[in-house]
Amino acid sequence: MATSDASPGADPAPQQPGARVAELRALLERYGYEYYVLDAPSVPDAHYDELFRELQRLEAEHPELASADSPTQRIGAPALAGFATVRHAIPMLSLANAFDEQDLAGFDRRVRESLAAAGLPEPELRYSAELKYDGLAVTLRYENGRFASGCTRGDGSSGEDVTANLRTVSAVPLRLRELAPAVLEVRGEIVMFRSDFARLNERQAAAGEKLFVNPRNAAAGSLRQLDPAITARRPLRFFAYGVGEVRGVEVAQSHAALLDWLERIGFPVGRERSMVAGAQEMFAFATRVANLRAQLDYEIDGVVYKVDRRDWHEAIGSVARAPRYAIALKFAAEEAVTELLDIEVQVGRTGVLTPVARLRPVFVGGTTVSNATLHNEDEIRRKDLRVGDRVVVRRAGDVIPEVVRALPREAAGNDEESGFVPFQMPGACPVCGAQVVREEGEAAWRCVSGLFCPAQRKQALLHFAQRRAMDIEGLGEKLVDALVDAQWVNTPADLYGLDAERLATLERMGEKSAANLVAAIARSRATTPARLLFALGIRHVGEEVARALAAEYPDLDALAQEDWERVQAHKQEVMRENARRRSRGEAAAAIPLEGVGPEIIASVARFFADPHNRAVIAQLRAAGVGWDGPAPVSGAQPLAGRSFVITGTLASMTRAEAADRLRALGATVASSVSAKTDYLVAGDAPGSKLERARSLGVAVLDEEGLLGMIENRE
């Protein structure tokens, strides 16, 4: 099929929608194959995104062209109540383990004996050698060339049906290239690359969410989410390493050729593989891979050897639940024993308190380790780690070292009397002395003094100055670093005492730049209630919650002096009264701070109860920052009373900019779809909100429809 990746409108001869949809799908599949399988993308990401958006638009305009294997269908499936159990057509066997060259020699001898007993030409024996990925084993089932279902390995006989989640993994083809067999089951491993894992944890930390321990756990947990939309946001990859049931196509009788064939029809296959003969060559391959291990962007825990002649596998046979024609050489755990000298608590940029083990230096995993993460208080208690313990430390490649377990204590008598005292998290922030809290359902303790705490200072200042908050243009990361390092700025209030002459003495800060920054800081004094509340960086208080709070309180002092227990009690009473009114068929009363739940209220209460935060707020007020009541509404309000929700990515503006334009016309912009929602604005990759809107009969606007509505009313 001839294709053209011309951008929308570039072709002078307009195509029929069906032809263009087919063309776009073919192009996007080809580009995905080049990116995920060949690791050789031929077009920039922006061009791919442009074609993807065009396909989404055409499919929305022509629902009759919908197809389950379209690249646009990787997200948006409804959340599941649980995973069904699927029985494998062919069992997914485990592999026997080897640990050294002697074990490999024994395996090689047994294979040769089996071949000799079957009368097969044993001198021709070769092994296909590949990597043993440290992820989650899955099988993908294709029927007539299209992805039909997928499940985990489970117990080998049956696994969990994770079809909806596997559809979200871009490295899993939704349609095979060049052929359409009746049935083809492709088996492999779901993994998360180390670089993707690092970025995922950065996003988790920025959002104040729980960090993942390692890529393997992150990959397994992501694939087993009941909500596929969550899986879609996780950077999962796939490596194919074999097949299960096959009907309607002949596959290669060489395992190495099978892997090459899987790559040709659209599956990522590991590049680090080889053909070897005999135990000596097998061990040499393992040694080479072990030396390469730390450089790989994904985790492995060994190598796998399979008799390359697949037509010999049946003759060689299996024992129990493991085939006799394959074996896994497991790499030795990179562990060492040392002494736990101390447990210190560090405060991260979002206020999370993290215990860190101070160790007697020990060489492990190719480097000397003196510190190791302990993750959180629960992890320390689970492992019963105490200062003075002899502990096992593990490190693999560039993974952060961790304390695996403590060795039995040799001291007699009571542990505490012998000096092995159970660890206790500090009752106050070890950096600033402010209150620390552990919210229900969380593993981490957190310092609540975001405006004051030196450990959180730079992040708090950057948040305070961002465009959606106080909008201090020119106050970027490098300048914040310089101001904090010079100790000129310790809290946001200190910004309002800076002068241009002093700023101009900083490196790379000229007189004009200094004057512009001082002017931007001065302009930020006249802000809106919602912006200032958002800028304070109160945990759980985003822009929507800040607007709700600002609408209820006439000034910052009233907010700071509120009795939040009374607010929560009153809110609950109104909700109970509304339940009674509904039962009587009466109109419901307005709920105070609707959309602001008890967790948010508790966070706001803690923030304003902290004396450090109150002191900084007083300094901000003294510097002239604040408001005299809710920001006045100006101009016509043609969308007053209309409720919008925005989801997905918009091409011409950010979602925040779209929300601002809607609010300027009097509309309400909410974060979740409900029966009260009038319109859902769906950009690219809309996720589960689109399905929710459709199920409730909410009108759906694309970006073009939104712009038309706004521009006709502005």
Side-chain angles (χ1 to χ4, degrees):
M1 172 179 167
T3 62
S4 166
D5 66 350
S7 299
D11 190 346
Q15 294 177 278
Q16 292 297 316
R20 182 57 176 166
V21 164
E23 183 178 46
L24 287 168
R25 288 173 182 165
L27 284 169
L28 293 170
E29 288 168 3
R30 189 183 93 199
Y31 296 151
Y33 175 73
E34 292 169 345
Y35 185 92
Y36 289 103
V37 179
L38 303 183
D39 195 22
S42 62
V43 296
D45 290 351
H47 185 66
Y48 181 97
D49 294 341
E50 180 184 11
L51 297 180
F52 190 92
R53 286 194 295 271
E54 183 188 1
L55 178 59
Q56 280 189 314
R57 178 178 59 78
L58 286 172
E59 289 178 342
E61 293 173 353
H62 303 278
E64 71 278 5
L65 299 177
S67 174
D69 59 8
S70 172
T72 62
Q73 300 306 303
R74 289 195 179 274
I75 59 176
L80 305 172
F83 294 115
T85 299
V86 179
R87 189 163 189 83
H88 301 307
I90 296 176
M92 296 182 71
L93 300 178
S94 301
L95 294 179
N97 291 328
F99 297 96
D100 53 31
E101 189 171 1
Q102 184 176 350
D103 290 342
L104 292 177
F107 165 72
D108 182 55
R109 184 188 68 254
R110 291 189 296 274
V111 169
R112 293 179 186 276
E113 290 171 351
S114 297
L115 293 176
L120 296 173
E122 168 263 332
E124 297 180 13
L125 176 62
R126 297 290 184 276
Y127 297 102
S128 176
E130 56 197 282
L131 306 184
K132 186 176 185 299
Y133 306 103
D134 192 13
L136 184 69
V138 297
T139 184
L140 313 175
R141 185 178 178 88
Y142 291 80
E143 297 176 357
N144 300 314
R146 298 173 185 270
F147 178 61
S149 61
C151 63
T152 63
R153 178 185 177 277
D155 62 4
S157 298
S158 58
E160 293 175 312
D161 185 347
V162 288
T163 303
N165 291 348
L166 285 167
R167 281 188 180 277
T168 73
V169 180
S170 296
V172 171
L174 298 178
R175 182 170 57 185
L176 302 179
R177 293 167 57 86
E178 303 173 2
L179 79 164
V183 174
L184 174 65
E185 283 189 355
V186 178
R187 292 175 172 177
E189 201 90 356
I190 291 290
V191 301
M192 186 177 291
F193 280 18
R194 289 170 174 166
S195 54
D196 292 333
F197 172 76
R199 285 190 288 270
L200 174 62
N201 262 351
E202 286 176 2
R203 293 197 298 271
Q204 292 289 108
E209 302 291 340
K210 178 183 177 181
L211 301 186
F212 295 99
V213 176
N214 56 53
R216 194 237 178 249
N217 289 354
S222 297
L223 191 66
R224 299 188 71 255
Q225 292 288 328
L226 293 177
D227 185 354
I230 297 176
T231 306
R233 296 194 293 269
R234 304 279 172 79
L236 299 179
R237 309 281 187 127
F238 174 73
F239 283 119
Y241 54 60
V243 295
E245 183 182 11
V246 179
R247 286 193 274 123
V249 66
E250 291 292 328
V251 298
Q253 289 304 318
S254 158
H255 182 73
L258 172 67
L259 295 180
D260 292 338
W261 178 74
L262 287 172
E263 185 175 66
R264 286 198 301 274
I265 65 173
F267 295 93
V269 177
R271 301 294 174 84
E272 298 298 329
R273 58 185 195 269
S274 184
M275 193 72 69
V276 296
Q280 188 173 357
E281 289 187 15
M282 295 165 76
F283 196 70
F285 174 79
T287 301
R288 180 173 69 81
V289 170
N291 292 333
L292 183 67
R293 184 180 182 187
Q295 301 172 32
L296 298 174
D297 198 20
Y298 44 84
E299 293 193 340
I300 61 173
D301 56 2
V303 294
V304 174
Y305 304 97
K306 300 173 185 174
V307 172
D308 187 57
R309 289 282 299 267
R310 298 179 66 249
D311 55 334
W312 288 358
H313 289 183
E314 185 175 352
I316 298 170
S318 302
V319 291
R321 301 176 65 84
R324 298 180 65 182
Y325 54 80
I327 198 166
L329 177 69
K330 297 291 290 290
F331 289 145
E334 297 177 278
E335 296 181 345
V337 175
T338 187
E339 183 183 356
L340 178 58
L341 301 177
D342 197 6
I343 298 177
E344 297 181 0
V345 176
Q346 296 180 342
V347 182
R349 61 191 179 96
T350 60
V352 172
L353 275 61
T354 302
V356 176
R358 301 304 183 198
L359 307 168
R360 190 173 302 282
V362 61
F363 190 79
V364 58
T367 189
T368 299
V369 171
S370 56
N371 304 314
T373 180
L374 295 174
H375 303 296
N376 54 56
E377 182 182 29
D378 290 347
E379 188 74 356
I380 294 174
R381 294 190 184 283
R382 184 179 69 80
K383 296 176 180 177
D384 190 24
L385 300 175
R386 307 185 187 188
V387 173
D389 279 338
R390 286 176 58 75
V391 295
V392 176
V393 180
R394 176 184 296 155
R395 183 182 186 274
D398 57 359
V399 176
I400 297 172
E402 66 170 332
V403 176
V404 180
R405 64 185 181 278
L407 298 180
R409 299 182 185 98
E410 298 176 359
N414 181 278
D415 282 341
E416 295 189 25
E417 293 177 357
S418 304
F420 298 98
V421 179
F423 172 77
Q424 294 286 339
M425 286 293 284
C429 175
V431 176
C432 71
Q435 178 190 10
V436 294
V437 298
R438 178 177 176 175
E439 295 184 359
E440 185 176 352
E442 291 195 351
W445 288 83
R446 188 182 302 270
C447 168
V448 303
S449 185
L451 293 179
F452 176 83
C453 182
Q456 304 172 68
R457 187 168 293 157
K458 292 180 180 179
Q459 190 66 24
L461 288 167
L462 286 170
H463 177 81
F464 185 85
Q466 68 167 286
R467 187 171 59 86
R468 308 296 305 172
M470 301 299 284
D471 193 19
I472 303 178
E473 186 177 357
L475 190 60
E477 187 171 353
K478 290 184 178 179
L479 183 53
V480 166
D481 286 345
L483 292 171
V484 172
D485 292 344
Q487 297 186 352
W488 292 358
V489 175
N490 293 320
T491 73
D494 293 336
L495 292 169
Y496 296 92
L498 295 174
D499 62 78
E501 183 177 355
R502 191 182 189 192
L503 284 170
T505 64
L506 292 173
E507 186 178 358
R508 299 180 182 176
M509 175 65 74
E511 292 182 4
K512 184 175 181 180
S513 297
N516 288 340
L517 177 59
V518 170
I521 293 172
R523 285 194 300 272
S524 74
R525 286 186 171 94
T527 187
T528 66
R531 279 181 176 271
L532 179 54
L533 278 173
F534 176 57
L536 294 178
I538 306 170
R539 181 161 163 75
H540 300 311
V541 176
E543 292 178 77
E544 292 296 331
V545 173
R547 290 188 186 95
L549 290 170
E552 291 279 342
Y553 292 90
D555 56 50
L556 195 59
D557 290 336
L559 192 66
Q561 295 167 10
E562 179 61 275
D563 181 346
W564 294 102
E565 289 186 6
R566 182 195 62 79
V567 169
Q568 182 61 23
H570 175 57
K571 183 172 182 176
Q572 291 176 343
E573 176 54 36
V574 172
M575 294 171 71
R576 286 192 292 268
E577 172 60 23
N578 281 343
R580 292 190 288 268
R581 290 189 180 193
R582 281 193 298 271
S583 68
R584 298 192 298 264
E586 299 175 0
I591 299 175
L593 292 177
E594 187 169 10
V596 181
E599 184 180 18
I600 299 174
I601 289 176
S603 179
V604 172
R606 283 194 298 268
F607 182 88
F608 283 107
D610 183 83
H612 297 306
N613 291 335
R614 295 173 74 94
V616 173
I617 291 170
Q619 293 163 14
L620 286 169
R621 296 299 303 274
V625 181
W627 74 83
D628 296 324
V633 175
S634 60
Q637 300 288 291
L639 294 180
R642 300 294 181 90
S643 173
F644 290 74
V645 173
I646 306 173
T647 186
T649 303
L650 304 179
S652 61
M653 60 185 134
T654 66
R655 290 193 299 190
E657 290 168 345
D660 282 347
R661 293 179 71 176
L662 287 168
R663 290 190 187 97
L665 295 170
T668 298
V669 182
S671 59
S672 59
V673 178
S674 71
K676 297 179 181 179
T677 304
D678 294 301
Y679 296 97
L680 175 76
V681 179
D684 287 348
S688 60
K689 290 179 182 178
L690 179 58
E691 293 300 322
R692 171 73 172 160
R694 286 171 174 165
S695 70
L696 293 173
V698 173
V700 178
L701 295 175
D702 60 11
E703 185 168 357
E704 185 177 351
L706 171 67
L707 289 173
M709 179 178 287
I710 290 176
E711 290 168 359
N712 288 336
R713 291 165 172 80
E714 284 182 335

